[in-house]
Amino acid sequence: DARVTQTPRHKVTEMGQEVTMRCQPILGHNTVFWYRQTMMQGLELLAYFRNRAPLDDSGMPKDRFSAEMPDATLATLKIQPSEPRDSAVYFCASGRAAWEQYFGPGTRLTVT
Amino acid sequence: QKEVEQNSGPLSVPEGAIASLNCTYSDRGSQSFFWYRQYSGKSPELIMSIYSNGDKEDGRFTAQVDKSSKYISLFIRDSQPSDSATYLCAVMVRSFKTIFGAGTRLFVKA
């Protein structure tokens, strides 16, 4: 049963620290999405990639967030420096097309 | 105005009843519509996708799209306590970009 994996599952860090979240998409999926979910804002699209190329990252705060796909099996989302308002659950999703999104279990980030 | 509006609920229905969920969207050019289910503490899971005006049925679930009024609905027949979750509607507003509603919490009482 193929699944999207995300690490770490939980992360607690202090304000100002760098946070790196990792995602392994399902083998064969060429589209990867990063979302952030909070109670106030709901599920927000941060960035998405197709064939490892970033197609849209307009949802990301550019000054502190960055997303990359070093290879087809790894997507990363980095926050530097982190702030308390970044506390949220970050989901990665992958698919074979834009209309198909299988979500990973998420990384719960707490910035104190 | 948000691109996808959805009542947060909670919506409470008795077991065996029909649960009716809906949302509205603003981009008239939207072509693809989705319903996701999210259990507490879990990730969203796609349950229905619909790409044209009208109805689509899958088991106990029926999705409806009315593009003239920009209105999307999900009906769950014979609701079960296991259907208790948050239901997110989602709209693909342009190629690859999907906007999610805030989600409606559904409680099915046994």
Side-chain angles (χ1 to χ4, degrees):
Chain A
D1 186 20
R3 297 187 183 193
V4 176
T5 58
Q6 290 185 248
T7 57
R9 295 293 307 279
H10 302 272
K11 176 74 175 179
V12 180
T13 191
E14 292 184 347
M15 181 174 64
Q17 297 298 305
E18 178 178 300
V19 175
T20 298
M21 290 168 272
R22 294 176 174 81
C23 166
Q24 181 173 14
I26 294 172
L27 188 65
H29 286 187
N30 61 358
T31 306
V32 173
F33 305 81
W34 281 106
Y35 289 92
R36 173 172 64 183
Q37 187 173 42
T38 62
M39 289 293 292
M40 292 299 295
Q41 298 297 327
L43 198 60
E44 302 174 280
L45 178 66
L46 297 176
Y48 58 83
F49 294 77
R50 182 168 176 82
N51 295 325
R52 296 176 55 201
L55 292 187
D56 191 329
D57 61 1
S58 60
M60 244 172 22
K62 294 293 190 306
D63 56 338
R64 299 184 299 109
F65 284 58
S66 61
E68 295 180 343
M69 278 201 74
D71 60 61
T73 65
L74 177 65
T76 62
L77 179 66
K78 188 176 296 186
I79 308 174
Q80 167 63 18
S82 58
E83 297 180 1
R85 58 180 168 152
D86 300 329
S87 297
V89 180
Y90 291 80
F91 287 107
C92 172
S94 75
R96 289 165 293 190
W99 46 263
E100 179 186 72
Q101 298 189 41
Y102 294 89
F103 282 76
T107 294
R108 183 174 296 276
L109 174 65
T110 303
V111 183
T112 61
Chain B
Q1 181 191 7
K2 287 188 175 181
E3 292 184 81
V4 180
E5 298 262 15
Q6 189 176 7
N7 189 319
S8 63
L11 173 66
S12 184
V13 300
E15 185 176 358
I18 296 175
S20 174
L21 304 129
N22 53 71
C23 66
T24 59
Y25 62 96
S26 59
D27 188 335
R28 191 169 292 279
S30 301
Q31 297 293 324
S32 305
F33 310 91
F34 311 91
W35 283 97
Y36 284 79
R37 177 177 61 200
Q38 186 174 23
Y39 291 112
S40 180
K42 302 295 185 182
S43 54
E45 172 193 15
L46 178 66
I47 55 172
M48 290 287 282
S49 53
I50 182 167
Y51 304 106
S52 58
N53 228 20
D55 298 2
K56 180 180 178 181
E57 186 176 317
D58 185 359
R60 295 186 296 113
F61 297 95
T62 298
Q64 276 185 355
V65 172
D66 181 347
K67 290 187 178 180
S68 63
S69 57
K70 294 182 286 182
Y71 197 83
I72 312 162
S73 300
L74 178 71
F75 301 97
I76 306 174
R77 289 183 298 282
D78 189 23
S79 296
Q80 301 296 310
S82 58
D83 294 327
S84 298
T86 296
Y87 289 80
L88 305 163
C89 67
V91 176
M92 187 174 293
V93 297
R94 61 177 183 268
S95 184
F96 292 106
K97 185 158 186 173
T98 302
I99 306 298
F100 284 79
T104 299
R105 287 178 296 154
L106 172 68
F107 294 102
V108 181
K109 299 173 294 184

